[in-house]
Amino acid sequence: MSSAFTPKVGFVSLGCPKALVDSEQILTQLRAEGYETAKSYDGADLVIVNTCGFIDSAVKESLDAIGEALNENGKVIVTGCLGGKKDASGEDVVQKVHPKVLAVTGPHALGEVMDAVHLHLPKPHEPFVDLVPPQGVKLTPTHYAYLKISEGCNHRCSFCIIPSLRGDLVSRPIAEVMLEAENLFKAGVKELLVISQDTSAYGVDVKFRTGFWGGKPVRTHMTDLVRSLGALASQYDAWVRLHYVYPYPHVDEAIPLMNEGHVLPYLDVPLQHSHPDVLKRMKRPANGEKNIERLRAWRAVCPDITIRSTVIAGFPGETEEEFQHLLDFLREAQIDRLGCFAYSPVEGAAANAIAPAVPDPLREERRARVMQVQEEISRQRLQAKVGTKMRVLIDQLDRNGAVARSAADAPEIDGVVYVALPYDPSRTLAVGEFVEVTVTAADAHDLWARVD
Ligand code: SF4
């Protein structure tokens, strides 16, 4: 254990980008109050584990991580989605398995986590507030960062337990979101990834209240946010990418802004299925029948737009005919980037009660059929980019060249652009640099390119 004069906190961060943002906020607060972060369990006076409770494998990973922290260190505070979860008998899942944890909170609970830290590891007398960089502490590489604009969700999709874990939608004030974005750009962030459970619903909970940014009124609304972020990004020559956008009519207003430059022509639209009856059983927001028209209209306004989506195969009750509808939809929609999950029952989700369940092997088979169809679509769409010029952002460098991403590639979930080292040895490349390239080859996922 380290000296009590400079209290050190170990941190384990699991889960999705939204959980990552929670981790960043906790780490920022710890640093603001003078705590240090320990790199190992035995160098820490206390360990915080930020958990994920979305699917069963994530629950197991989180419980294992808590067990490891207890064994290695002994003083453990648990936060995150699993922390908010109860079992069928109403007992706290974490406390039941690991009764020795010091405290358990749900997600997005900065105040509660800090209260628990103060209780078990009192804060130093003179907080080194000036140690905190204005952008906070980031866990992502410094050239890109996630910007969480709201927490929770007003929908009740039957396969999802996020609303019961995180509650209804709570939008962050627009001025606060813009200030965080500005601090991130000032700190050198070149790509901002806007996240939430439902980005298109931003501001619904506060009736699109008007806030102020740069001395001007701005509504707490997706269109105003996108416009303001785009204008800010252009001052810093940076990108803004939108995730988790539902195809509501007002999203149409954001598409022309993508033609103006700094808001990337990229929309992550989680459609989940195409058949109206399946969508009804899923209790999905937004109308499945109009989705093809909407995608067409977006492409007419912004021909370069990249559409990313996810779908679920083998949802309870899915018939072969409904599944075929999904395959036909995908062939017609020509979605650029697609993730497909075989339905996996999440404990506590209403969909588990829908009959008949699709047998496990059939769910997997359908997932494989979706991916086969999508692979061909993706191969053709990427092939059409060979010979074109594009701007890419460099993520990594190695001896052979750079791994970069274009406007069409979100970090971690999409493909990449492999950039060959320039012939001219005086032309060096750097992580976080934008580079103009020409695409030389493609497969079904990635591109290869040379520096112009
Ligand atoms: S929109 Fe549906 S899937 Fe997404 S968080 Fe809300 S309830 Fe869950």
Side-chain angles (χ1 to χ4, degrees):
M1 294 275 171
S2 69
S3 145
F5 296 108
T6 49
K8 291 192 176 64
V9 179
F11 207 97
V12 180
S13 183
L14 303 168
C16 64
K18 281 151 276 193
L20 187 73
V21 173
D22 285 353
S23 294
E24 289 170 349
Q25 286 170 349
I26 297 168
L27 285 166
T28 299
Q29 190 59 33
L30 285 168
R31 182 86 77 85
E33 295 186 10
Y35 292 90
E36 281 182 24
T37 328
K39 293 203 165 36
S40 64
Y41 286 124
D42 62 354
D45 299 300
L46 178 151
V47 177
I48 299 173
V49 183
N50 187 6
T51 58
C52 175
F54 189 47
I55 54 171
D56 293 348
S57 58
V59 171
K60 183 174 179 312
E61 188 191 10
S62 294
L63 289 173
D64 289 351
I66 297 165
E68 189 182 301
L70 279 170
N71 283 339
E72 301 283 325
N73 182 279
K75 288 180 84 177
V76 178
I77 292 171
V78 175
T79 182
C81 276
L82 184 61
K85 209 169 174 182
K86 309 252 181 257
D87 67 9
S89 59
E91 267 191 88
D92 187 299
V93 172
V94 174
Q95 297 273 17
K96 197 170 168 185
V97 181
H98 295 300
K100 288 202 179 134
V101 293
L102 300 174
V104 182
T105 84
H108 203 50
L110 175 64
E112 282 174 73
V113 172
M114 291 312 298
D115 286 349
V117 172
H118 297 153
L119 189 66
H120 297 285
L121 186 64
K123 60 177 165 178
H125 289 307
E126 290 183 35
F128 301 120
V129 177
D130 54 336
L131 289 182
V132 186
Q135 80 281 15
V137 178
K138 289 284 144 197
L139 299 178
T140 44
T142 47
H143 63 284
Y144 69 82
Y146 295 95
L147 179 69
K148 183 154 71 171
I149 60 168
S150 61
E151 187 58 55
C153 180
N154 286 347
H155 303 299
R156 295 293 180 264
C157 300
S158 57
F159 55 83
C160 178
I161 55 165
I162 283 178
S164 68
L165 292 176
R166 301 201 160 209
D168 282 341
L169 177 84
V170 179
S171 301
R172 292 179 64 197
I174 189 145
E176 188 183 303
V177 171
M178 291 303 299
L179 182 64
E180 185 172 334
E182 187 175 43
N183 283 337
L184 289 165
F185 288 141
K186 275 186 186 158
V189 162
K190 288 288 157 197
E191 178 176 357
L192 212 53
L193 301 118
V194 175
I195 56 166
S196 65
Q197 309 295 346
D198 178 357
T199 296
S200 30
Y202 179 59
V204 166
D205 55 317
V206 292
K207 302 198 171 53
F208 309 117
R209 185 171 54 211
T210 300
F212 285 88
W213 170 248
K216 294 197 185 114
V218 215
R219 282 177 315 154
T220 316
H221 186 281
M222 178 178 151
T223 311
D224 288 29
L225 176 71
V226 170
R227 189 179 292 116
S228 307
L229 284 175
L232 189 62
S234 69
Q235 290 172 31
Y236 291 90
D237 189 21
W239 283 349
V240 174
R241 190 185 295 279
L242 305 180
H243 286 283
Y244 315 118
V245 175
Y246 288 96
Y248 295 122
H250 74 265
V251 172
D252 297 357
E253 297 168 9
I255 310 298
L257 301 171
M258 296 181 173
N259 278 330
E260 292 168 17
H262 288 274
V263 178
L264 293 174
Y266 179 102
L267 268 192
D268 178 4
V269 192
L271 296 170
Q272 308 303 13
H273 211 280
S274 63
H275 196 286
D277 293 346
V278 181
L279 289 169
K280 222 174 269 166
R281 290 201 293 277
M282 288 179 167
K283 294 209 166 63
R284 289 295 285 167
N287 177 345
E289 286 155 38
K290 300 256 168 66
N291 285 345
I292 282 280
E293 283 78 26
R294 186 134 274 134
L295 295 184
R296 259 192 215 123
W298 290 346
R299 285 183 170 132
V301 176
C302 182
D304 288 337
I305 196 166
T306 297
I307 307 289
R308 174 181 175 81
S309 193
T310 44
V311 293
I312 297 175
F315 186 76
E318 186 188 59
T319 62
E320 179 60 27
E321 188 206 331
E322 288 167 345
F323 176 67
Q324 280 297 338
H325 188 281
L326 175 61
L327 292 184
D328 292 344
F329 169 82
L330 293 175
R331 288 190 189 99
E332 199 180 342
Q334 295 281 301
I335 287 166
D336 300 85
R337 304 289 195 186
L338 187 83
C340 177
F341 301 98
Y343 176 72
S344 153
V346 175
E347 201 187 309
N352 301 340
I354 299 174
V358 176
D360 253 340
L362 187 54
R363 289 183 219 162
E364 274 306 325
E365 184 199 304
R366 287 182 179 169
R367 191 193 74 83
R369 283 163 69 193
V370 166
M371 290 324 287
Q372 205 179 2
V373 167
Q374 182 58 30
E375 185 157 326
E376 207 31 55
I377 293 169
S378 180
R379 185 183 302 281
Q380 285 173 12
R381 293 186 78 77
L382 292 181
Q383 194 60 40
K385 297 189 181 191
V386 175
T388 61
K389 291 179 183 299
M390 57 174 61
R391 193 174 200 222
V392 297
L393 178 60
I394 296 185
D395 276 345
Q396 281 172 45
L397 289 170
D398 63 27
R399 275 190 307 152
N400 304 318
V403 183
R405 289 177 297 103
S406 70
D409 315 307
E412 313 269 336
I413 50 175
D414 293 330
V416 295
V417 183
Y418 294 103
V419 181
L421 282 181
Y423 293 122
D424 175 0
S426 67
R427 170 74 172 92
T428 51
L429 303 175
V431 170
E433 181 189 353
F434 285 113
V435 181
E436 305 296 329
V437 300
T438 299
V439 179
T440 53
D443 67 10
H445 305 285
D446 303 315
L447 297 175
W448 282 258
R450 63 173 145 70
V451 179
D452 285 342

